[in-house]
Amino acid sequence: MNLVALRQTLQRWFEANARDFPWRHSNDPYAIWVSETMLQQTQASTVGPYYERFLARFPNVATLAQASLADVLKMWENLGYYRRAQNLHAAAQVLLREHDGRLPQDEKALLALPGIGRYTAGALRSIAFGQPAAVLDGNVRRVIARLDDLSANIDEPATEKTLWQRAAELIDPETPGRMNEALMELGAVICLPPKPQCHRCPVSDFCLAYEHHTQYERPVRKARRRIPHFDVVAGVVWHATRPHTFLIAQRPLDGMLGGLWEFPGGKLQPGESAPQALQRELQEELGIEVEVGAHVISLDHAYTHFRISLHAYRARHRGDEPRCLQVADWRWVQQADLPSFAFARTDQRIIAALDPPPLTE
DNA sequence: GATCCGTGGAG
DNA sequence: TCTCCAAGGAT
């Protein structure tokens, strides 16, 4: 294959056809780092508004490092994979303390930061610093698998090594960042997973799968496991004496949806009714007794590796104040207070199902 | 090295 | 409604 011709053709296509994203107007390594973190496992069209809000609120390493994690999570609300926000925040504090508030250009130093792995280090080095570093993301994996007509399963670690080597060969030593972006852009808009748009592809002349008519069979991937389903209950626990006041709890920082706030509850155990499960969970997590009341809403939701049916109930608090047994924190709040807390999608749907807040004034 | 971690768009 | 999967990283 003529690597020089491939690089030139692809980059010329990219320059004429690149989608306009806000991070493509910045040369600031910090801004590029934020965008690359948001783009992990998240489509570019989704990231746009989050990126601009985040940069407006945290325009540099220092403002991010000095912000509270609660503020950072609020800006990340609904973007998913919330550990990314924790890592970004923690890494900013490391940068401020150990790297003069700037991103290091050295690969080892980048990889030492939380949330920066091989892909993100390569993206920063090539796009932000102009170094000849490779990137291998889902797009590039697919593009290479088709360019080379790989029959090997790309989810196998052995194939991973081959793909990184190939990604390194494709680097344009003159314009590594542009070449890497062009590869990813091609995968995102032309070399699509189910239906590659080969008739519009600028590099189909270089593509072995196109030549062999195997592009629809590439890349070869592992079959997915079926994901389990659980029934889950959550409680809107109203204060025994204070009107319009209910309980929210903060999830532990190290688990799923870490640091987000929620209506407390948990999974139903076999043979258990939803109200029974709610009483048990509230006792285990917060050490409180409740009387379960009216059903609020039931909804289905799909996470990455399981699905739930969530059943929310009103409940009346009895007895002792809550304690942090299996939660990071808890608060008595009113509906007007909720916008300052970060909630996951399911709990936002519960909020939307509550009675409208009382009019004040 | 297999598993965990969110949400939304597309078909 | 269901499936796939997306500019991955950590453990």
Side-chain angles (χ1 to χ4, degrees):
Chain A
M1 178 186 299
N2 186 337
L3 278 175
V4 173
L6 169 61
R7 291 173 187 146
Q8 184 179 55
T9 305
L10 184 57
Q11 289 179 85
R12 282 186 179 162
W13 168 83
F14 179 65
E15 285 164 16
N17 296 280
R19 293 170 294 173
D20 184 27
F21 293 120
W23 49 89
R24 289 185 168 160
H25 297 288
S26 177
N27 292 320
D28 178 8
Y30 166 76
I32 296 173
W33 172 43
V34 170
S35 74
E36 289 297 342
T37 304
M38 289 186 168
L39 286 162
Q40 290 168 8
Q41 295 292 281
T42 309
Q43 294 189 340
S45 54
T46 301
V47 167
Y50 289 90
Y51 171 84
E52 299 206 290
R53 272 196 311 156
F54 197 95
L55 265 290
R57 179 69 181 275
F58 310 118
N60 51 48
V61 169
T63 52
L64 177 57
Q66 289 161 4
S68 68
L69 178 59
D71 285 344
V72 177
L73 284 172
K74 183 63 186 176
M75 300 303 288
W76 210 271
E77 188 178 38
N78 290 336
L79 197 48
Y81 286 145
Y82 298 93
R83 184 63 60 89
R84 293 182 295 175
Q86 285 188 42
N87 286 336
L88 200 63
H89 185 236
Q93 296 177 336
V94 173
L95 293 180
L96 196 57
R97 193 178 336 117
E98 300 179 10
H99 294 279
D100 205 21
R102 287 190 291 270
L103 280 153
Q105 301 198 18
D106 173 63
E107 180 180 23
K108 282 191 67 175
L110 285 170
L111 290 173
L113 294 167
I116 295 186
R118 195 171 176 184
Y119 164 79
T120 305
L124 285 168
R125 291 175 61 204
S126 62
I127 298 171
F129 301 129
Q131 298 176 30
V135 297
L136 186 67
D137 71 333
N139 291 309
V140 180
R141 280 189 183 83
R142 185 169 59 253
V143 168
I144 292 176
R146 287 181 175 145
L147 279 177
D148 292 352
D149 194 20
L150 294 181
S151 56
N153 189 317
I154 67 163
D155 294 320
E156 295 291 339
T159 316
E160 185 83 353
K161 191 175 173 183
T162 305
L163 291 167
W164 272 106
Q165 288 174 351
R166 192 68 169 132
E169 291 174 10
L170 293 171
I171 297 169
D172 188 326
E174 303 297 321
T175 51
R178 184 179 323 167
M179 179 65 193
N180 284 340
E181 283 199 86
L183 278 168
M184 293 189 278
E185 188 80 357
L186 186 76
V189 303
I190 301 286
C191 198
L192 300 172
K195 294 191 67 156
Q197 309 288 301
C198 300
H199 59 288
R200 297 198 296 127
C201 180
V203 293
S204 57
D205 287 350
F206 301 87
C207 183
L208 281 182
Y210 181 69
E211 182 182 335
H212 299 161
H213 306 290
T214 53
Q215 65 269 42
Y216 293 94
E217 301 158 30
R218 303 286 182 261
V220 178
R221 306 204 61 174
K222 266 189 211 166
R224 304 208 166 189
R225 295 183 312 164
R226 293 188 57 131
I227 63 176
H229 174 273
F230 303 110
D231 280 292
V232 176
V233 63
V236 183
V237 179
W238 296 87
H239 195 278
T241 56
R242 286 185 230 156
H244 313 302
T245 303
F246 53 89
L247 183 66
I248 60 174
Q250 188 183 30
R251 298 177 60 91
L253 284 172
D254 57 356
M256 189 169 103
L257 305 170
L260 297 195
W261 290 80
E262 67 174 2
F263 295 101
K267 283 193 280 198
L268 271 69
Q269 293 178 352
E272 204 175 35
S273 71
Q276 288 170 338
L278 182 56
Q279 289 186 319
R280 176 183 52 76
E281 288 284 349
L282 292 176
Q283 184 59 243
E284 291 174 2
E285 294 184 354
L286 292 146
I288 59 172
E289 296 283 347
V290 300
E291 290 174 11
V292 179
H295 176 254
V296 175
I297 186 177
S298 288
L299 56 91
D300 292 325
H301 189 76
Y303 296 104
T304 305
H305 60 291
F306 63 94
R307 283 192 301 269
I308 63 167
S309 294
L310 174 60
H311 312 285
Y313 288 83
R314 297 170 64 99
R316 175 73 63 181
H317 179 232
R318 298 291 183 215
D320 299 333
E321 280 287 274
R323 292 172 289 154
C324 292
L325 301 181
Q326 296 175 18
V327 301
D329 201 358
W330 59 269
R331 298 284 168 77
W332 290 113
V333 298
Q334 303 192 353
Q335 262 185 279
D337 304 323
L338 294 179
S340 60
F341 296 89
F343 289 91
R345 183 53 90 204
T346 49
D347 292 274
Q348 292 170 20
R349 292 181 61 184
I350 295 174
I351 290 170
L354 294 177
D355 297 331
L359 297 173
T360 55
E361 298 301 306

